[in-house]
Amino acid sequence: MKPLFALAGAVMAAALFAAPGAASAQNRIFVGTVAGSDLDGLARRVADVLASSDGTRWIVENRPGAGGALGFDALKGAPADGTTLLMAPSGALTLAPHTRGNLKYSLADVAPVSRVAAFDVAYVVSAKVPATTLKAYFDWVKQDNARAVFATPQFGGIPHMFGIKLGRAAGVPLDNAAYRGGGSQLITDVVGGHVVAASSGVAEWLREHQAGTVRILATSGAKRAPQLPNVPTFQELGYKDLTASIAYLLLAPAATPKATVDAIASRVAKGLADPKLREALTAQGFVVDGATAPATVAADLKAEHKVWGDLIKETGFKMPN
C-alpha cells in the first residue's frame, strides 16, 4: 500500500513529541516500520484516541528493521502494565513464523488488544487483458502458460500466499513476480501490461480501477470491500474457502492483565466508532469493523496461523536464502 496519513502523522508527531515532558512519557506504542508508513499513521491515530479518552499522553516509537521484528523485541522487553503497546500487521504473527526460521517472537509473546483496521487483498488485471471476470481471466491464462504470472508487493507476504491459494483453487498454477515494497513500479507495470495481473491491497488499486487502467476482478474479504461495492468477493464467485485480510493489530505484552487489555480495547473501540475517523480510514482503503474484542482477535490469529501453516506445508514453499 502507498504511504498514508503523511500530513496527519506529521502534525500528530509534532504534537506528541514537542509536548513538554514527552521524552519521559511512559505510554508508548511501538511500530516496527519507519515514520510515515501506513502502520505508523494508524498507530498515531490510536495514540490520539487513547490520549483523548482520558487525558493521558501517548507517544509512538518507531523501531524499523528486521522485517518488523524489532518492534516485537521492544514489546517483549516492556512492562506488562498497559503502558506499552505494539501496532503490527497480522501476517507478522500468522505467516512469518512459517516462512522465516529466525524469528524470536511468536503468538505466545503477545496479548491481542484490538483489530484496529484491515485491508482486503485485491486480484487485479491490466485493462489490456481481454477479461472482465475472474472466470474469463483464467480461461485466457489457460491458453498460454506465459500468462500465468501475478505480481505482489513482496515475496512471501499474504498477497503472495493468497495468489498461490487462488491458483490452486482454480486449478491453474500461478507464478509470482515480487516487487520489493510494491509501489509505483508495480502499478506502472500492471497498467502497461508488462505484468498482466497482481495480488495486493485494495488501496493500491482504487485510483487505477476507477480510471479504467486496471480491473479489480475480486476481493478477499468475507464481505465486499466498502470502497468497491460493485466488485464481488472470491466467495461470491464460488471460492468458498478463499478469504484473507491483512489486519493491523494493537498488541500488549503477553503477561498484561486481562482487565487492563479489556480496558484499552474498550477505549479504542469507542474511538473507532467516531464516524469521521471511520470515514477517513475507509477513504484510505481500510476496512474498519469495530475493533474486534481481544478474545476474538486471539482466536482469529490462531485460526489464520493454522491456515498459512497448512498452505506452507502443502506447497513446500520456502523463502530464498
Side-chain angles (χ1 to χ4, degrees):
M1 296 174 67
K2 300 173 185 176
L4 309 175
F5 311 113
L7 179 58
V11 172
M12 194 174 297
L16 290 169
F17 289 100
S24 61
Q26 297 299 306
N27 300 310
R28 300 174 296 175
I29 301 177
F30 290 119
V31 179
T33 62
V34 297
S37 66
D38 293 344
L39 199 61
D40 173 81
L42 197 58
R44 294 181 190 280
R45 296 273 195 178
V46 172
D48 189 46
V49 164
L50 292 173
S52 298
S53 67
D54 64 0
T56 55
R57 184 166 60 247
W58 286 79
I59 63 172
V60 173
E61 289 192 17
N62 300 91
R63 298 293 179 92
L70 297 185
F72 283 93
D73 289 346
L75 186 72
K76 287 175 64 176
D81 58 3
T83 63
T84 306
L85 305 170
L86 171 70
M87 183 74 71
S90 56
L93 289 164
T94 61
L95 177 57
H98 302 295
T99 59
R100 297 172 58 189
N102 60 344
L103 291 182
K104 298 180 180 179
Y105 67 84
S106 70
L107 281 170
D109 295 313
V110 302
V113 176
S114 166
R115 173 186 165 109
V116 178
F119 61 88
D120 294 335
V121 177
Y123 199 80
V124 181
V125 296
S126 171
K128 298 180 184 296
V129 172
T132 58
T133 66
L134 193 63
K135 182 182 183 304
Y137 161 73
F138 279 121
D139 289 342
W140 178 76
V141 168
K142 291 174 183 177
Q143 297 171 16
D144 184 349
N145 287 339
R147 298 169 178 171
V149 177
F150 70 101
T152 56
Q154 67 182 103
F155 188 86
I158 286 179
H160 183 180
M161 296 298 106
F162 189 82
I164 291 176
K165 284 191 69 174
L166 173 61
R168 285 165 60 87
V172 182
L174 299 172
D175 293 327
N176 177 244
Y179 286 64
R180 185 179 294 275
S184 60
Q185 190 59 53
L186 184 157
I187 294 171
T188 297
D189 284 355
V190 174
V191 169
H194 306 299
V195 180
V196 298
S199 173
S200 64
V202 163
E204 286 192 279
W205 301 102
L206 290 175
R207 183 174 63 181
E208 287 70 24
H209 176 77
Q210 292 162 359
T213 57
V214 305
R215 301 185 193 98
I216 299 177
L217 299 182
T219 57
S220 67
K223 299 185 295 184
R224 294 192 178 194
Q227 303 85 1
L228 298 165
N230 296 321
V231 176
T233 67
F234 288 95
Q235 286 190 326
E236 288 180 82
L237 297 177
Y239 297 93
K240 299 302 183 184
D241 297 325
L242 209 58
T243 60
S245 68
I246 302 174
Y248 284 172
L249 308 174
L250 192 64
L251 307 166
T256 305
K258 181 180 182 300
T260 301
V261 169
D262 289 344
I264 297 172
S266 177
R267 291 160 64 191
V268 173
K270 184 176 180 180
L272 289 177
D274 179 2
K276 290 184 178 180
L277 178 55
R278 293 174 70 91
E279 182 180 349
L281 294 176
T282 299
Q284 299 293 347
F286 285 104
V287 176
V288 184
D289 55 13
T292 310
T296 303
V297 178
D300 288 347
L301 285 172
K302 289 180 180 179
E304 186 177 316
H305 185 276
K306 183 179 186 306
V307 166
W308 296 129
D310 289 346
L311 180 66
I312 297 301
K313 290 177 183 177
E314 292 169 6
T315 61
F317 177 85
K318 294 185 181 299
M319 294 287 284
N321 295 326

